[in-house]
Amino acid sequence: NLARVDYDGTASSLLAEPERTNLITYSEDFSNADWIKSAASVVSGFTSPDGTDNAFKLVEDTSTGIHRISVDGITVVTEKYSVSIYAKSDGRNEIRVSLANYFSSGTDAYFNLDTKVITLGFLAENGLIETLSNGWFRCSFTSKNVGFAGGNAKVYIDTALNGSTSYTGDGTSGVYIYGAQLEEGSYGTSYIPTSGSTVTRVQDQYTKTGISNLINSEEGVLFLEMAALADDGTDRKFSISDGTSSNVISIIYRPTSNQVRGAIITGGVNQVLLSFVVADSTAFNKIAFKWKAGDFALWIGGVEVVTSSSGSIPTGLNKISNDNGGGSFYMYSKVKQLQVFKTALTYSELATLTT
């Protein structure tokens, strides 16, 4: 029951993620027999991103062909999976990560750790290289919705040279690897360590109740500086409410791509719906939703983007949470700032707040 924090090297943010399971049962011990070595070996004892000596080096042999490790027998039941691995170059600066079963050739991605260029297979999407410290990167991609469901899957990690995984190795070059993860979902989440079985991390829920003295039903502002984890076509909400979804003031990320909405529901009836499309909902945006009788406004990035003059405001508001007030439509995001004001701020105050 402790809050989780995402730190990007400069600033921290409150992290809220959905429930996910790492389906790779040995995410760190690549010497385990579950990991099959082909024209390659692994050497232990190198410093990983977590600061301990639990990373491995994947070393190519001197044969001509594909140099890889792989794990087999992973049951897949839906069509969207995300795979990730931490990698650091040592003689080879390219890797290919693949997710495959008997009909899924093309679900792979090449990652160049020098240029940060990602080359996606035709059944892969959402490729990402995240930069860590000390030369480490987290490389990830997601399978497309192309009938991948059913049967057993494999995860391959190959070294590559000049964009190809088939080459003659020198017996010493390779890449450091750590933290392999395969999870069901349309985007990757933070690392879940495993050591012999799958591990599930439950979804993050943030709630504060009993704060009616901090919320004014007649006027106020809800302000968030946040980034969505994905533009995934779902409703995600951050709300102040009476503990139900019938009386709510909320900031919403909508199913419409990159659409942000300020909304008020009173007695189960929509009163105010103010929507605006931002350039990128997965980037940090400063969003303020102001309410006052006859004066409602949504501010984003220092600009009043949409207004309304009609709608009633609910009473009895006493709770703030990363959902719709009733325990669904969770806001999966990174939040740098969350503020609730008991007065409707002025035009200049809102401009300053959201700039």
Side-chain angles (χ1 to χ4, degrees):
N1 291 323
L2 294 176
R4 295 196 304 132
V5 174
D6 181 82
Y7 180 67
D8 63 8
T10 303
S12 299
S13 55
L14 184 69
L15 179 64
E17 294 185 301
E19 178 177 301
R20 289 292 177 87
T21 299
N22 189 352
L23 299 172
I24 295 175
T25 55
Y26 287 93
S27 66
E28 298 177 10
D29 185 6
F30 297 101
S31 66
N32 188 273
D34 275 14
W35 285 98
I36 302 167
K37 290 78 179 176
S38 177
S41 60
V42 293
V43 181
S44 63
F46 300 95
T47 304
S48 78
D50 75 7
T52 59
D53 294 336
N54 58 348
F56 282 76
K57 182 180 178 182
L58 171 60
V59 184
E60 63 194 33
D61 67 12
T62 57
S63 66
T64 300
I66 297 175
H67 310 275
R68 73 166 34 144
I69 60 171
S70 61
V71 61
D72 197 357
I74 303 171
T75 301
V76 291
V77 295
T78 61
E79 295 183 325
K80 284 275 190 176
Y81 284 84
S82 297
V83 60
S84 59
I85 184 76
Y86 294 87
K88 177 180 179 179
S89 62
D90 186 38
R92 298 293 173 222
N93 59 16
E94 299 173 72
I95 62 170
R96 181 178 70 171
V97 181
S98 306
L99 173 61
N101 65 7
Y102 64 92
F103 53 33
S104 62
S105 175
T107 312
D108 60 2
Y110 283 85
F111 299 91
N112 189 307
L113 305 180
D114 280 347
T115 65
K116 315 302 183 298
V117 171
I118 304 169
T119 304
L120 296 174
F122 66 94
L123 298 182
E125 62 185 8
N126 298 338
L128 180 65
I129 295 181
E130 298 172 88
T131 303
L132 286 79
S133 59
N134 301 321
W136 282 96
F137 302 91
R138 194 183 192 203
C139 306
S140 61
F141 74 90
T142 301
S143 62
K144 285 186 178 179
N145 215 354
V146 289
F148 189 80
N152 291 327
K154 300 179 181 180
V155 173
Y156 299 110
I157 303 167
D158 311 331
T159 56
L161 176 64
N162 298 325
S164 174
T165 55
S166 183
Y167 63 93
T168 302
D170 61 18
T172 58
S173 294
V175 292
Y176 300 112
I177 53 175
Y178 169 80
Q181 183 155 307
L182 175 65
E183 55 190 307
E184 180 186 339
S186 60
Y187 59 92
T189 62
S190 60
Y191 175 51
I192 306 168
T194 65
S195 56
S197 64
T198 62
V199 173
T200 298
R201 180 194 58 238
V202 299
Q203 72 176 12
D204 298 307
Q205 303 177 39
Y206 297 113
T207 300
K208 181 67 175 176
T209 58
I211 55 172
S212 58
N213 62 315
L214 303 178
I215 304 170
N216 186 351
S217 289
E218 294 183 359
E219 62 177 276
V221 172
L222 173 60
F223 169 71
L224 284 161
E225 182 182 3
M226 67 176 175
L229 296 186
D231 184 26
D232 63 353
T234 63
D235 256 325
R236 293 140 291 158
K237 304 183 179 184
F238 219 119
S239 66
I240 53 178
S241 69
D242 65 353
T244 73
S245 59
S246 297
N247 295 290
V248 186
I249 297 173
S250 57
I251 292 176
I252 306 169
Y253 282 164
R254 295 279 294 147
T256 302
S257 182
N258 295 317
Q259 187 182 91
V260 177
R261 171 174 286 177
I264 295 178
I265 299 174
T266 303
V269 178
N270 288 329
Q271 299 292 324
V272 179
L273 299 174
L274 304 180
S275 301
F276 183 79
V277 175
V278 298
D280 183 1
S281 61
T282 64
F284 280 98
N285 289 281
K286 291 185 177 182
I287 307 163
F289 182 33
K290 179 186 73 172
W291 65 91
K292 186 177 181 180
D295 184 10
F296 304 92
L298 183 66
W299 283 74
I300 301 176
V303 178
E304 185 180 63
V305 294
V306 61
T307 64
S308 176
S309 59
S310 63
S312 64
I313 305 167
T315 59
L317 304 175
N318 61 7
K319 172 187 174 183
I320 190 163
S321 54
N322 69 322
D323 62 11
N324 69 338
S328 58
F329 298 100
Y330 288 95
M331 177 67 78
Y332 299 124
S333 61
K334 300 175 183 179
V335 177
K336 287 185 177 179
Q337 295 190 75
L338 164 62
Q339 299 180 40
V340 179
F341 296 85
K342 295 180 71 174
T343 58
L345 302 181
T346 66
Y347 193 96
S348 61
E349 287 171 336
L350 285 164
T352 299
L353 182 66
T354 58
T355 296

